[in-house]
């Protein structure tokens, strides 16, 4: 989700960070992926300590210019701290973590599907948050989801983590899809799952979300691994201000201006007036001094005559033009 767009964008240096296993080694899958995306090295660390090492550099960890990727609350806090430290000189993609999901479900939703989607994020960590907005489900509908939730959770290897996350998660009951989407847009979830009737039409009501999963056959898991969307996404409501990681996250846009003399004359009035309004006299004079220079007679009449033979390759071979020379003037 990060290495491929970095590679496609042409990043000259790619560094991966991943915590090692208990024996100090790293999983071969990560080593393989690092090789495939052209990573220069793998930092055997995770958490806030990896963020600090990448931001400031150490004897063994090279300093980077930008840190991207999701993590727990400590990773997110670390990223935000270093991005505001001018001595670090590093930027980040966005605040991304802990994980969260919001499922909007109506009477058409399968309770087992809803529960499985809630659990798929709850298992990330005890600080993950899952939210269900039940649209007209009533007591029986909410109870059916709850029963599925507990039955499926009991079968998971990370059941303790799941139950810890569920403890601070919530269910909101509303009567209309419009009210559901108003609440969703205010919450601005990392993952938004729409298990409702005519789900594709409901997408039009989405204003704030990291990524949207539409309909009963689109679990959030496919976004993580195979659907083609990037799952490094904003959390904590930052979907109101940020988009998820994309190719543009690894690129910069540098502007350039190159005016001719006439071009400067054409826009000079507007530039000087705006500088005057902002009381930035040096800005105004940077233009006016050039205009005064253009108006000087010595500038207008200063030309030199030059004689040069301008013969291109084609003309040189043409007997009708062979030996002809051209004279001209060049305005300085």
């Amino acid at each position: 989700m990060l290495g491929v767009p970095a590679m496609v964008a042409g990043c000259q240096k790619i560094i991966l960070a991943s915590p090692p296993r208990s024996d100090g080694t790293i999983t071969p899958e990560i080593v393989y992926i690092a090789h495939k995306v052209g990573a220069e090295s793998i930092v055997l660390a995770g958490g806030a300590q990896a963020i600090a090492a990448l931001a400031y550099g150490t004897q063994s960890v090279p300093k980077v210019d930008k840190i991207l990727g999701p993590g727990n609350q400590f990773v997110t806090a670390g990223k935000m701290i270093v991005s505001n430290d001018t001595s670090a000189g590093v930027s980040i993609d966005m605040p991304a973590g802990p994980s969260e999901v919001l499922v909007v479900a109506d009477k058409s939703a399968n309770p087992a599907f809803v529960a499985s989607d809630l659990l798929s994020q709850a298992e990330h960590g005890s600080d993950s948050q899952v939210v269900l907005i039940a649209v007209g489900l009533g007591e029986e509908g909410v109870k059916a989801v709850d029963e599925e939730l507990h039955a499926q959770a009991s079968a998971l290897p990370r059941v303790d983590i799941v139950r810890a996350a569920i403890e601070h998660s919530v269910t909101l009951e509303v009567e209309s899809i419009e009210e559901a989407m108003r609440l969703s847009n205010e919450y601005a979830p990392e993952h938004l799952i729409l298990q409702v009737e005519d789900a594709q039409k409901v997408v039009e009501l989405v204003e704030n979300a990291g990524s949207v999963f539409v309909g009963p056959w689109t679990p959030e898991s496919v976004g993580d691994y195979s659907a083609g969307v990037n799952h490094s996404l904003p959390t904590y409501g930052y979907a109101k201000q940020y988009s998820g990681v994309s190719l543009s996250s690894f690129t910069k846009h540098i502007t350039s201006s190159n005016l001719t003399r006439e071009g400067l004359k054409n826009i000079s009035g507007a530039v000087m007036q705006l500088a005057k309004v902002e009381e930035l006299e040096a800005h105004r004079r940077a233009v006016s001094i050039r205009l005064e220079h253009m108006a000087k007679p010595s500038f207008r009449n200063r030309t030199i005559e030059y004689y040069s033979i301008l013969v291109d390759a084609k003309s040189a071979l043409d007997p009708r033009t062979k030996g002809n020379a051209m004279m001209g003037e060049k305005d300085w």
Side-chain angles (χ1 to χ4, degrees), residues 23 34 84 86 122 127 129 135 161-162 184 195 275-277 293 303 319:
D23 63 356
N84 286 306
T86 55
D127 55 0
Q129 185 171 55
V135 184
I161 292 175
V162 166
S184 175
Q195 292 200 39
K276 181 179 179 181
V277 170
H293 190 68
T303 60

Side-chain angles (χ1 to χ4, degrees), residues 163-299:
R163 293 199 185 282
I166 293 296
E167 284 181 3
H168 56 80
S169 296
V170 297
T171 296
L172 306 175
E173 296 186 55
V174 299
E175 293 302 319
S176 69
I177 191 65
E178 289 76 18
E179 178 67 5
M181 296 311 298
R182 185 188 70 79
L183 293 171
S184 175
N185 287 323
E186 182 62 27
Y187 182 78
E190 177 190 16
H191 306 99
L192 171 60
I193 300 177
L194 300 176
Q195 292 200 39
V196 296
E197 190 173 356
D198 201 4
Q200 185 59 52
K201 187 175 181 181
V202 176
V203 174
E204 299 173 3
L205 301 177
V206 178
E207 295 177 2
N208 302 313
S211 190
V212 185
F213 303 85
V214 185
W217 309 115
T218 317
E220 184 277 332
S221 312
V222 301
D224 283 357
Y225 302 121
S226 191
V229 295
N230 199 293
H231 74 282
S232 188
L233 303 166
T235 59
Y236 281 123
Y238 280 103
K240 293 179 180 179
Q241 296 91 11
Y242 292 91
S243 301
V245 164
S246 66
L247 187 62
S248 62
S249 303
F250 296 87
T251 62
K252 296 184 301 181
H253 301 276
I254 302 174
T255 61
S256 175
S257 302
N258 184 359
L259 274 64
T260 63
R261 182 178 64 179
E262 290 303 313
L264 178 60
K265 288 173 64 176
N266 289 340
I267 66 173
S268 60
V271 174
M272 290 190 293
Q273 181 59 34
L274 289 171
K276 181 179 179 181
V277 170
E278 291 191 337
E279 298 182 356
L280 296 174
E281 180 60 17
H283 281 62
R284 190 193 69 81
R285 286 176 57 81
V287 176
S288 66
I289 287 174
R290 285 172 167 79
L291 296 180
E292 292 168 2
H293 190 68
M294 293 179 194
K296 292 179 180 179
S298 60
F299 180 86

Side-chain angles (χ1 to χ4, degrees), residues 22-228:
S22 58
D23 63 356
T25 64
I26 198 164
T27 60
E29 293 87 352
I30 292 177
V31 176
Y32 173 76
I33 292 300
H35 173 72
K36 293 290 287 185
V37 302
E40 178 180 296
S41 59
I42 303 175
V43 177
L44 300 182
Q49 57 269 36
I51 301 301
L54 292 169
Y56 299 101
T58 71
Q59 291 181 344
S60 58
V61 178
K63 174 180 166 37
V64 300
D65 294 322
K66 189 169 186 176
I67 300 173
L68 303 95
N72 60 21
Q73 58 184 309
F74 304 107
V75 169
T76 297
K79 286 171 61 180
M80 296 180 76
I81 289 171
V82 298
S83 69
N84 286 306
D85 184 357
T86 55
S87 66
V90 68
S91 70
I92 64 172
D93 49 356
M94 73 197 86
S99 187
E100 59 195 30
V101 66
L102 188 152
V103 179
V104 180
D106 64 11
K107 292 181 179 179
S108 69
N110 185 322
F113 292 3
V114 174
S116 67
D117 285 338
L118 294 170
L119 292 171
S120 69
Q121 293 307 299
E123 73 173 349
H124 271 297
S126 59
D127 55 0
S128 298
Q129 185 171 55
V130 299
V131 178
L132 170 63
I133 300 183
V135 184
L137 287 187
E139 184 177 347
E140 288 300 315
V142 173
K143 182 179 179 181
V145 173
D146 190 55
E147 290 176 348
E148 278 287 343
L149 193 70
H150 289 288
Q152 293 183 32
S154 298
L156 295 173
R158 298 166 68 92
V159 60
D160 292 338
I161 292 175
V162 166
R163 293 199 185 282
I166 293 296
E167 284 181 3
H168 56 80
S169 296
V170 297
T171 296
L172 306 175
E173 296 186 55
V174 299
E175 293 302 319
S176 69
I177 191 65
E178 289 76 18
E179 178 67 5
M181 296 311 298
R182 185 188 70 79
L183 293 171
S184 175
N185 287 323
E186 182 62 27
Y187 182 78
E190 177 190 16
H191 306 99
L192 171 60
I193 300 177
L194 300 176
Q195 292 200 39
V196 296
E197 190 173 356
D198 201 4
Q200 185 59 52
K201 187 175 181 181
V202 176
V203 174
E204 299 173 3
L205 301 177
V206 178
E207 295 177 2
N208 302 313
S211 190
V212 185
F213 303 85
V214 185
W217 309 115
T218 317
E220 184 277 332
S221 312
V222 301
D224 283 357
Y225 302 121
S226 191

